PDB file of all heavy atoms in Angstrom:
ATOM      1  N   PRO A   1      83.825  68.940 120.141  1.00  0.00           N
ATOM      2  CA  PRO A   1      82.919  67.834 120.444  1.00  0.00           C
ATOM      3  C   PRO A   1      82.213  67.960 121.793  1.00  0.00           C
ATOM      4  O   PRO A   1      81.215  67.273 122.038  1.00  0.00           O
ATOM      5  CB  PRO A   1      83.837  66.607 120.424  1.00  0.00           C
ATOM      6  CG  PRO A   1      85.209  67.140 120.667  1.00  0.00           C
ATOM      7  CD  PRO A   1      85.227  68.498 120.040  1.00  0.00           C
ATOM      8  N   LYS A   2      82.699  68.822 122.673  1.00  0.00           N
ATOM      9  CA  LYS A   2      82.082  68.963 123.996  1.00  0.00           C
ATOM     10  C   LYS A   2      80.796  69.779 123.954  1.00  0.00           C
ATOM     11  O   LYS A   2      80.023  69.782 124.913  1.00  0.00           O
ATOM     12  CB  LYS A   2      83.071  69.599 124.962  1.00  0.00           C
ATOM     13  CG  LYS A   2      84.295  68.730 125.239  1.00  0.00           C
ATOM     14  CD  LYS A   2      85.239  69.405 126.205  1.00  0.00           C
ATOM     15  CE  LYS A   2      86.456  68.516 126.472  1.00  0.00           C
ATOM     16  NZ  LYS A   2      87.400  69.154 127.421  1.00  0.00           N
ATOM     17  N   LEU A   3      80.564  70.470 122.863  1.00  0.00           N
ATOM     18  CA  LEU A   3      79.393  71.354 122.784  1.00  0.00           C
ATOM     19  C   LEU A   3      78.217  70.601 122.187  1.00  0.00           C
ATOM     20  O   LEU A   3      77.846  70.767 121.032  1.00  0.00           O
ATOM     21  CB  LEU A   3      79.738  72.595 121.955  1.00  0.00           C
ATOM     22  CG  LEU A   3      80.978  73.373 122.403  1.00  0.00           C
ATOM     23  CD1 LEU A   3      81.195  74.588 121.517  1.00  0.00           C
ATOM     24  CD2 LEU A   3      80.869  73.776 123.865  1.00  0.00           C
ATOM     25  N   ILE A   4      77.600  69.786 123.023  1.00  0.00           N
ATOM     26  CA  ILE A   4      76.460  68.990 122.556  1.00  0.00           C
ATOM     27  C   ILE A   4      75.228  69.883 122.413  1.00  0.00           C
ATOM     28  O   ILE A   4      75.157  70.965 123.016  1.00  0.00           O
ATOM     29  CB  ILE A   4      76.171  67.821 123.517  1.00  0.00           C
ATOM     30  CG1 ILE A   4      75.740  68.364 124.889  1.00  0.00           C
ATOM     31  CG2 ILE A   4      77.395  66.920 123.657  1.00  0.00           C
ATOM     32  CD1 ILE A   4      75.291  67.272 125.857  1.00  0.00           C
ATOM     33  N   PRO A   5      74.246  69.477 121.603  1.00  0.00           N
ATOM     34  CA  PRO A   5      73.025  70.278 121.472  1.00  0.00           C
ATOM     35  C   PRO A   5      72.390  70.575 122.833  1.00  0.00           C
ATOM     36  O   PRO A   5      72.303  69.714 123.707  1.00  0.00           O
ATOM     37  CB  PRO A   5      72.129  69.384 120.616  1.00  0.00           C
ATOM     38  CG  PRO A   5      73.096  68.621 119.758  1.00  0.00           C
ATOM     39  CD  PRO A   5      74.264  68.343 120.677  1.00  0.00           C
ATOM     40  N   GLY A   6      71.962  71.806 123.012  1.00  0.00           N
ATOM     41  CA  GLY A   6      71.401  72.261 124.280  1.00  0.00           C
ATOM     42  C   GLY A   6      72.378  73.070 125.110  1.00  0.00           C
ATOM     43  O   GLY A   6      71.964  73.828 126.002  1.00  0.00           O
ATOM     44  N   THR A   7      73.669  72.920 124.826  1.00  0.00           N
ATOM     45  CA  THR A   7      74.683  73.686 125.552  1.00  0.00           C
ATOM     46  C   THR A   7      74.460  75.191 125.347  1.00  0.00           C
ATOM     47  O   THR A   7      74.193  75.641 124.236  1.00  0.00           O
ATOM     48  CB  THR A   7      76.095  73.311 125.074  1.00  0.00           C
ATOM     49  OG1 THR A   7      76.306  71.909 125.261  1.00  0.00           O
ATOM     50  CG2 THR A   7      77.155  74.089 125.847  1.00  0.00           C
ATOM     51  N   VAL A   8      74.556  75.932 126.421  1.00  0.00           N
ATOM     52  CA  VAL A   8      74.392  77.388 126.357  1.00  0.00           C
ATOM     53  C   VAL A   8      75.767  78.032 126.496  1.00  0.00           C
ATOM     54  O   VAL A   8      76.538  77.676 127.384  1.00  0.00           O
ATOM     55  CB  VAL A   8      73.448  77.893 127.463  1.00  0.00           C
ATOM     56  CG1 VAL A   8      73.402  79.423 127.470  1.00  0.00           C
ATOM     57  CG2 VAL A   8      72.051  77.319 127.259  1.00  0.00           C
ATOM     58  N   ILE A   9      76.056  78.978 125.621  1.00  0.00           N
ATOM     59  CA  ILE A   9      77.359  79.636 125.634  1.00  0.00           C
ATOM     60  C   ILE A   9      77.192  81.142 125.796  1.00  0.00           C
ATOM     61  O   ILE A   9      76.389  81.765 125.089  1.00  0.00           O
ATOM     62  CB  ILE A   9      78.150  79.337 124.344  1.00  0.00           C
ATOM     63  CG1 ILE A   9      78.331  77.816 124.194  1.00  0.00           C
ATOM     64  CG2 ILE A   9      79.501  80.033 124.353  1.00  0.00           C
ATOM     65  CD1 ILE A   9      79.004  77.406 122.915  1.00  0.00           C
ATOM     66  N   ALA A  10      77.932  81.697 126.737  1.00  0.00           N
ATOM     67  CA  ALA A  10      77.998  83.150 126.905  1.00  0.00           C
ATOM     68  C   ALA A  10      79.232  83.633 126.155  1.00  0.00           C
ATOM     69  O   ALA A  10      80.359  83.432 126.606  1.00  0.00           O
ATOM     70  CB  ALA A  10      78.071  83.522 128.376  1.00  0.00           C
ATOM     71  N   MET A  11      79.016  84.255 124.993  1.00  0.00           N
ATOM     72  CA  MET A  11      80.130  84.693 124.151  1.00  0.00           C
ATOM     73  C   MET A  11      80.463  86.159 124.433  1.00  0.00           C
ATOM     74  O   MET A  11      79.574  86.974 124.651  1.00  0.00           O
ATOM     75  CB  MET A  11      79.779  84.520 122.673  1.00  0.00           C
ATOM     76  CG  MET A  11      79.399  83.096 122.288  1.00  0.00           C
ATOM     77  SD  MET A  11      79.443  82.779 120.495  1.00  0.00           S
ATOM     78  CE  MET A  11      78.288  83.995 119.867  1.00  0.00           C
ATOM     79  N   ARG A  12      81.741  86.462 124.374  1.00  0.00           N
ATOM     80  CA  ARG A  12      82.175  87.823 124.689  1.00  0.00           C
ATOM     81  C   ARG A  12      83.456  88.140 123.920  1.00  0.00           C
ATOM     82  O   ARG A  12      84.021  87.282 123.256  1.00  0.00           O
ATOM     83  CB  ARG A  12      82.436  87.963 126.186  1.00  0.00           C
ATOM     84  CG  ARG A  12      83.652  87.176 126.638  1.00  0.00           C
ATOM     85  CD  ARG A  12      83.889  87.273 128.140  1.00  0.00           C
ATOM     86  NE  ARG A  12      85.196  86.763 128.506  1.00  0.00           N
ATOM     87  CZ  ARG A  12      85.531  85.484 128.546  1.00  0.00           C
ATOM     88  NH1 ARG A  12      84.630  84.558 128.231  1.00  0.00           N
ATOM     89  NH2 ARG A  12      86.746  85.100 128.877  1.00  0.00           N
ATOM     90  N   SER A  13      83.917  89.369 124.068  1.00  0.00           N
ATOM     91  CA  SER A  13      85.202  89.767 123.488  1.00  0.00           C
ATOM     92  C   SER A  13      86.205  89.931 124.626  1.00  0.00           C
ATOM     93  O   SER A  13      85.921  89.601 125.778  1.00  0.00           O
ATOM     94  CB  SER A  13      85.061  91.079 122.724  1.00  0.00           C
ATOM     95  OG  SER A  13      84.937  92.149 123.646  1.00  0.00           O
ATOM     96  N   TRP A  14      87.365  90.483 124.311  1.00  0.00           N
ATOM     97  CA  TRP A  14      88.376  90.744 125.335  1.00  0.00           C
ATOM     98  C   TRP A  14      88.405  92.218 125.729  1.00  0.00           C
ATOM     99  O   TRP A  14      89.280  92.645 126.477  1.00  0.00           O
ATOM    100  CB  TRP A  14      89.758  90.306 124.830  1.00  0.00           C
ATOM    101  CG  TRP A  14      89.844  88.833 124.639  1.00  0.00           C
ATOM    102  CD1 TRP A  14      89.872  88.162 123.445  1.00  0.00           C
ATOM    103  CD2 TRP A  14      89.887  87.828 125.653  1.00  0.00           C
ATOM    104  NE1 TRP A  14      89.925  86.804 123.650  1.00  0.00           N
ATOM    105  CE2 TRP A  14      89.943  86.566 125.000  1.00  0.00           C
ATOM    106  CE3 TRP A  14      89.885  87.857 127.045  1.00  0.00           C
ATOM    107  CZ2 TRP A  14      89.995  85.354 125.695  1.00  0.00           C
ATOM    108  CZ3 TRP A  14      89.936  86.647 127.730  1.00  0.00           C
ATOM    109  CH2 TRP A  14      89.995  85.420 127.061  1.00  0.00           C
ATOM    110  N   TYR A  15      87.461  93.014 125.248  1.00  0.00           N
ATOM    111  CA  TYR A  15      87.436  94.428 125.627  1.00  0.00           C
ATOM    112  C   TYR A  15      87.123  94.575 127.110  1.00  0.00           C
ATOM    113  O   TYR A  15      86.334  93.820 127.674  1.00  0.00           O
ATOM    114  CB  TYR A  15      86.390  95.188 124.811  1.00  0.00           C
ATOM    115  CG  TYR A  15      86.662  95.229 123.335  1.00  0.00           C
ATOM    116  CD1 TYR A  15      85.714  94.776 122.422  1.00  0.00           C
ATOM    117  CD2 TYR A  15      87.865  95.704 122.849  1.00  0.00           C
ATOM    118  CE1 TYR A  15      85.957  94.805 121.052  1.00  0.00           C
ATOM    119  CE2 TYR A  15      88.119  95.741 121.483  1.00  0.00           C
ATOM    120  CZ  TYR A  15      87.162  95.286 120.597  1.00  0.00           C
ATOM    121  OH  TYR A  15      87.411  95.318 119.255  1.00  0.00           O
ATOM    122  N   ARG A  16      87.715  95.557 127.741  1.00  0.00           N
ATOM    123  CA  ARG A  16      87.405  95.865 129.137  1.00  0.00           C
ATOM    124  C   ARG A  16      87.465  97.379 129.337  1.00  0.00           C
ATOM    125  O   ARG A  16      88.363  97.913 129.990  1.00  0.00           O
ATOM    126  CB  ARG A  16      88.342  95.120 130.086  1.00  0.00           C
ATOM    127  CG  ARG A  16      89.827  95.265 129.771  1.00  0.00           C
ATOM    128  CD  ARG A  16      90.664  94.439 130.735  1.00  0.00           C
ATOM    129  NE  ARG A  16      90.453  93.021 130.521  1.00  0.00           N
ATOM    130  CZ  ARG A  16      90.876  92.075 131.349  1.00  0.00           C
ATOM    131  NH1 ARG A  16      91.514  92.403 132.455  1.00  0.00           N
ATOM    132  NH2 ARG A  16      90.666  90.804 131.090  1.00  0.00           N
ATOM    133  N   PRO A  17      86.495  98.098 128.790  1.00  0.00           N
ATOM    134  CA  PRO A  17      86.535  99.564 128.850  1.00  0.00           C
ATOM    135  C   PRO A  17      86.200 100.145 130.217  1.00  0.00           C
ATOM    136  O   PRO A  17      86.770 101.163 130.610  1.00  0.00           O
ATOM    137  CB  PRO A  17      85.499  99.984 127.809  1.00  0.00           C
ATOM    138  CG  PRO A  17      84.540  98.831 127.762  1.00  0.00           C
ATOM    139  CD  PRO A  17      85.370  97.597 127.979  1.00  0.00           C
ATOM    140  N   ASN A  18      85.263  99.513 130.939  1.00  0.00           N
ATOM    141  CA  ASN A  18      84.761 100.149 132.156  1.00  0.00           C
ATOM    142  C   ASN A  18      84.510  99.161 133.282  1.00  0.00           C
ATOM    143  O   ASN A  18      83.938  98.103 133.052  1.00  0.00           O
ATOM    144  CB  ASN A  18      83.433 100.862 131.874  1.00  0.00           C
ATOM    145  CG  ASN A  18      83.540 101.920 130.811  1.00  0.00           C
ATOM    146  OD1 ASN A  18      84.372 102.816 130.922  1.00  0.00           O
ATOM    147  ND2 ASN A  18      82.732 101.821 129.772  1.00  0.00           N
ATOM    148  N   PRO A  19      84.877  99.532 134.517  1.00  0.00           N
ATOM    149  CA  PRO A  19      84.394  98.788 135.681  1.00  0.00           C
ATOM    150  C   PRO A  19      82.979  99.251 136.009  1.00  0.00           C
ATOM    151  O   PRO A  19      82.433 100.118 135.325  1.00  0.00           O
ATOM    152  CB  PRO A  19      85.383  99.190 136.781  1.00  0.00           C
ATOM    153  CG  PRO A  19      85.753 100.589 136.424  1.00  0.00           C
ATOM    154  CD  PRO A  19      85.755 100.643 134.908  1.00  0.00           C
ATOM    155  N   GLY A  20      82.397  98.690 137.055  1.00  0.00           N
ATOM    156  CA  GLY A  20      81.068  99.137 137.470  1.00  0.00           C
ATOM    157  C   GLY A  20      81.131 100.467 138.210  1.00  0.00           C
ATOM    158  O   GLY A  20      80.314 101.358 137.999  1.00  0.00           O
ATOM    159  N   ILE A  21      82.143 100.591 139.078  1.00  0.00           N
ATOM    160  CA  ILE A  21      82.347 101.816 139.850  1.00  0.00           C
ATOM    161  C   ILE A  21      83.847 102.083 139.897  1.00  0.00           C
ATOM    162  O   ILE A  21      84.632 101.165 140.149  1.00  0.00           O
ATOM    163  CB  ILE A  21      81.795 101.683 141.286  1.00  0.00           C
ATOM    164  CG1 ILE A  21      80.297 101.373 141.261  1.00  0.00           C
ATOM    165  CG2 ILE A  21      82.059 102.945 142.098  1.00  0.00           C
ATOM    166  CD1 ILE A  21      79.730 101.004 142.615  1.00  0.00           C
ATOM    167  N   PHE A  22      84.250 103.305 139.654  1.00  0.00           N
ATOM    168  CA  PHE A  22      85.661 103.681 139.686  1.00  0.00           C
ATOM    169  C   PHE A  22      85.879 104.646 140.848  1.00  0.00           C
ATOM    170  O   PHE A  22      85.291 105.725 140.888  1.00  0.00           O
ATOM    171  CB  PHE A  22      86.072 104.334 138.366  1.00  0.00           C
ATOM    172  CG  PHE A  22      87.501 104.794 138.318  1.00  0.00           C
ATOM    173  CD1 PHE A  22      88.526 104.006 138.811  1.00  0.00           C
ATOM    174  CD2 PHE A  22      87.825 106.027 137.772  1.00  0.00           C
ATOM    175  CE1 PHE A  22      89.849 104.429 138.766  1.00  0.00           C
ATOM    176  CE2 PHE A  22      89.146 106.456 137.711  1.00  0.00           C
ATOM    177  CZ  PHE A  22      90.155 105.656 138.214  1.00  0.00           C
ATOM    178  N   VAL A  23      86.715 104.237 141.820  1.00  0.00           N
ATOM    179  CA  VAL A  23      87.041 105.075 142.971  1.00  0.00           C
ATOM    180  C   VAL A  23      88.513 105.445 142.895  1.00  0.00           C
ATOM    181  O   VAL A  23      89.373 104.563 142.754  1.00  0.00           O
ATOM    182  CB  VAL A  23      86.748 104.342 144.292  1.00  0.00           C
ATOM    183  CG1 VAL A  23      87.057 105.257 145.482  1.00  0.00           C
ATOM    184  CG2 VAL A  23      85.304 103.879 144.344  1.00  0.00           C
ATOM    185  N   HIS A  24      88.815 106.737 143.005  1.00  0.00           N
ATOM    186  CA  HIS A  24      90.203 107.192 142.866  1.00  0.00           C
ATOM    187  C   HIS A  24      90.469 108.371 143.793  1.00  0.00           C
ATOM    188  O   HIS A  24      89.697 109.335 143.833  1.00  0.00           O
ATOM    189  CB  HIS A  24      90.463 107.599 141.412  1.00  0.00           C
ATOM    190  CG  HIS A  24      91.860 108.038 141.135  1.00  0.00           C
ATOM    191  ND1 HIS A  24      92.957 107.241 141.366  1.00  0.00           N
ATOM    192  CD2 HIS A  24      92.345 109.197 140.633  1.00  0.00           C
ATOM    193  CE1 HIS A  24      94.058 107.885 141.017  1.00  0.00           C
ATOM    194  NE2 HIS A  24      93.719 109.078 140.581  1.00  0.00           N
ATOM    195  N   LYS A  25      91.552 108.282 144.556  1.00  0.00           N
ATOM    196  CA  LYS A  25      91.992 109.366 145.440  1.00  0.00           C
ATOM    197  C   LYS A  25      90.886 109.842 146.370  1.00  0.00           C
ATOM    198  O   LYS A  25      90.629 111.041 146.497  1.00  0.00           O
ATOM    199  CB  LYS A  25      92.539 110.541 144.626  1.00  0.00           C
ATOM    200  CG  LYS A  25      93.876 110.241 143.952  1.00  0.00           C
ATOM    201  CD  LYS A  25      94.461 111.483 143.294  1.00  0.00           C
ATOM    202  CE  LYS A  25      95.837 111.193 142.721  1.00  0.00           C
ATOM    203  NZ  LYS A  25      96.448 112.363 142.067  1.00  0.00           N
ATOM    204  N   GLY A  26      90.216 108.891 147.010  1.00  0.00           N
ATOM    205  CA  GLY A  26      89.169 109.248 147.952  1.00  0.00           C
ATOM    206  C   GLY A  26      89.553 108.887 149.376  1.00  0.00           C
ATOM    207  O   GLY A  26      90.471 108.102 149.620  1.00  0.00           O
ATOM    208  N   LYS A  27      88.860 109.463 150.335  1.00  0.00           N
ATOM    209  CA  LYS A  27      89.062 109.139 151.745  1.00  0.00           C
ATOM    210  C   LYS A  27      87.696 108.969 152.402  1.00  0.00           C
ATOM    211  O   LYS A  27      86.786 109.774 152.183  1.00  0.00           O
ATOM    212  CB  LYS A  27      89.839 110.262 152.442  1.00  0.00           C
ATOM    213  CG  LYS A  27      90.143 109.960 153.905  1.00  0.00           C
ATOM    214  CD  LYS A  27      90.972 111.066 154.535  1.00  0.00           C
ATOM    215  CE  LYS A  27      91.279 110.733 155.994  1.00  0.00           C
ATOM    216  NZ  LYS A  27      92.059 111.810 156.653  1.00  0.00           N
ATOM    217  N   ASP A  28      87.580 107.912 153.178  1.00  0.00           N
ATOM    218  CA  ASP A  28      86.309 107.597 153.848  1.00  0.00           C
ATOM    219  C   ASP A  28      85.186 107.427 152.820  1.00  0.00           C
ATOM    220  O   ASP A  28      84.123 108.072 152.903  1.00  0.00           O
ATOM    221  CB  ASP A  28      85.941 108.678 154.866  1.00  0.00           C
ATOM    222  CG  ASP A  28      86.959 108.778 155.995  1.00  0.00           C
ATOM    223  OD1 ASP A  28      87.536 107.727 156.343  1.00  0.00           O
ATOM    224  OD2 ASP A  28      87.187 109.886 156.510  1.00  0.00           O
ATOM    225  N   ILE A  29      85.422 106.561 151.854  1.00  0.00           N
ATOM    226  CA  ILE A  29      84.425 106.242 150.822  1.00  0.00           C
ATOM    227  C   ILE A  29      83.720 104.949 151.212  1.00  0.00           C
ATOM    228  O   ILE A  29      84.371 103.951 151.529  1.00  0.00           O
ATOM    229  CB  ILE A  29      85.096 106.078 149.438  1.00  0.00           C
ATOM    230  CG1 ILE A  29      85.960 107.295 149.116  1.00  0.00           C
ATOM    231  CG2 ILE A  29      84.044 105.833 148.362  1.00  0.00           C
ATOM    232  CD1 ILE A  29      85.211 108.598 149.073  1.00  0.00           C
ATOM    233  N   ARG A  30      82.411 104.955 151.187  1.00  0.00           N
ATOM    234  CA  ARG A  30      81.644 103.785 151.606  1.00  0.00           C
ATOM    235  C   ARG A  30      80.696 103.336 150.496  1.00  0.00           C
ATOM    236  O   ARG A  30      79.977 104.148 149.917  1.00  0.00           O
ATOM    237  CB  ARG A  30      80.834 104.099 152.866  1.00  0.00           C
ATOM    238  CG  ARG A  30      81.673 104.512 154.063  1.00  0.00           C
ATOM    239  CD  ARG A  30      80.798 105.006 155.210  1.00  0.00           C
ATOM    240  NE  ARG A  30      81.597 105.481 156.321  1.00  0.00           N
ATOM    241  CZ  ARG A  30      82.117 106.707 156.408  1.00  0.00           C
ATOM    242  NH1 ARG A  30      81.866 107.584 155.442  1.00  0.00           N
ATOM    243  NH2 ARG A  30      82.844 107.064 157.436  1.00  0.00           N
ATOM    244  N   LEU A  31      80.704 102.038 150.229  1.00  0.00           N
ATOM    245  CA  LEU A  31      79.732 101.422 149.320  1.00  0.00           C
ATOM    246  C   LEU A  31      78.910 100.461 150.157  1.00  0.00           C
ATOM    247  O   LEU A  31      79.435  99.466 150.661  1.00  0.00           O
ATOM    248  CB  LEU A  31      80.448 100.684 148.182  1.00  0.00           C
ATOM    249  CG  LEU A  31      81.457 101.485 147.361  1.00  0.00           C
ATOM    250  CD1 LEU A  31      82.062 100.609 146.272  1.00  0.00           C
ATOM    251  CD2 LEU A  31      80.816 102.713 146.753  1.00  0.00           C
ATOM    252  N   GLU A  32      77.634 100.750 150.321  1.00  0.00           N
ATOM    253  CA  GLU A  32      76.768  99.953 151.186  1.00  0.00           C
ATOM    254  C   GLU A  32      75.578  99.418 150.397  1.00  0.00           C
ATOM    255  O   GLU A  32      74.830 100.193 149.795  1.00  0.00           O
ATOM    256  CB  GLU A  32      76.265 100.799 152.364  1.00  0.00           C
ATOM    257  CG  GLU A  32      77.376 101.393 153.218  1.00  0.00           C
ATOM    258  CD  GLU A  32      76.862 102.333 154.296  1.00  0.00           C
ATOM    259  OE1 GLU A  32      75.613 102.479 154.409  1.00  0.00           O
ATOM    260  OE2 GLU A  32      77.685 102.928 155.021  1.00  0.00           O
ATOM    261  N   ASN A  33      75.428  98.100 150.398  1.00  0.00           N
ATOM    262  CA  ASN A  33      74.296  97.479 149.706  1.00  0.00           C
ATOM    263  C   ASN A  33      74.251  97.897 148.238  1.00  0.00           C
ATOM    264  O   ASN A  33      73.206  98.292 147.714  1.00  0.00           O
ATOM    265  CB  ASN A  33      72.976  97.831 150.406  1.00  0.00           C
ATOM    266  CG  ASN A  33      71.825  96.957 149.934  1.00  0.00           C
ATOM    267  OD1 ASN A  33      72.031  95.808 149.542  1.00  0.00           O
ATOM    268  ND2 ASN A  33      70.622  97.502 149.946  1.00  0.00           N
ATOM    269  N   VAL A  34      75.394  97.808 147.604  1.00  0.00           N
ATOM    270  CA  VAL A  34      75.514  98.141 146.169  1.00  0.00           C
ATOM    271  C   VAL A  34      75.789  96.849 145.403  1.00  0.00           C
ATOM    272  O   VAL A  34      76.728  96.124 145.734  1.00  0.00           O
ATOM    273  CB  VAL A  34      76.644  99.147 145.912  1.00  0.00           C
ATOM    274  CG1 VAL A  34      76.842  99.366 144.421  1.00  0.00           C
ATOM    275  CG2 VAL A  34      76.326 100.484 146.601  1.00  0.00           C
ATOM    276  N   THR A  35      74.980  96.562 144.404  1.00  0.00           N
ATOM    277  CA  THR A  35      75.139  95.355 143.597  1.00  0.00           C
ATOM    278  C   THR A  35      75.419  95.744 142.148  1.00  0.00           C
ATOM    279  O   THR A  35      74.676  96.520 141.558  1.00  0.00           O
ATOM    280  CB  THR A  35      73.866  94.487 143.628  1.00  0.00           C
ATOM    281  OG1 THR A  35      73.595  94.124 144.989  1.00  0.00           O
ATOM    282  CG2 THR A  35      74.035  93.232 142.792  1.00  0.00           C
ATOM    283  N   VAL A  36      76.515  95.218 141.616  1.00  0.00           N
ATOM    284  CA  VAL A  36      76.831  95.420 140.195  1.00  0.00           C
ATOM    285  C   VAL A  36      76.576  94.098 139.492  1.00  0.00           C
ATOM    286  O   VAL A  36      77.339  93.147 139.644  1.00  0.00           O
ATOM    287  CB  VAL A  36      78.298  95.866 139.988  1.00  0.00           C
ATOM    288  CG1 VAL A  36      78.586  96.044 138.495  1.00  0.00           C
ATOM    289  CG2 VAL A  36      78.560  97.171 140.744  1.00  0.00           C
ATOM    290  N   HIS A  37      75.483  94.013 138.738  1.00  0.00           N
ATOM    291  CA  HIS A  37      75.150  92.777 138.029  1.00  0.00           C
ATOM    292  C   HIS A  37      76.046  92.589 136.814  1.00  0.00           C
ATOM    293  O   HIS A  37      76.395  91.464 136.448  1.00  0.00           O
ATOM    294  CB  HIS A  37      73.684  92.806 137.588  1.00  0.00           C
ATOM    295  CG  HIS A  37      72.720  92.709 138.723  1.00  0.00           C
ATOM    296  ND1 HIS A  37      72.487  91.547 139.423  1.00  0.00           N
ATOM    297  CD2 HIS A  37      71.931  93.653 139.306  1.00  0.00           C
ATOM    298  CE1 HIS A  37      71.604  91.749 140.372  1.00  0.00           C
ATOM    299  NE2 HIS A  37      71.253  93.025 140.322  1.00  0.00           N
TER     300      HIS A  37
END
């Protein structure tokens, strides 16, 4: 009943295959002005 006409829904699944950036076993790694939308 809470979903009145006009309500916008972002539907998704539970999958999570990938991050935006994967960093592993690094030293002195810098991310500067990086945006993951």
Side-chain angles (χ1 to χ4, degrees):
K2 295 180 180 180
L3 306 181
I4 64 174
T7 302
V8 174
I9 302 176
M11 303 196 302
R12 69 182 192 286
S13 74
W14 294 107
Y15 296 124
R16 51 182 68 192
N18 301 305
I21 301 170
F22 178 43
V23 182
H24 182 58
K25 290 187 176 180
K27 183 177 181 181
D28 297 328
I29 308 300
R30 300 172 184 84
L31 306 181
E32 302 174 3
N33 194 29
V34 174
T35 301
V36 179
H37 291 287

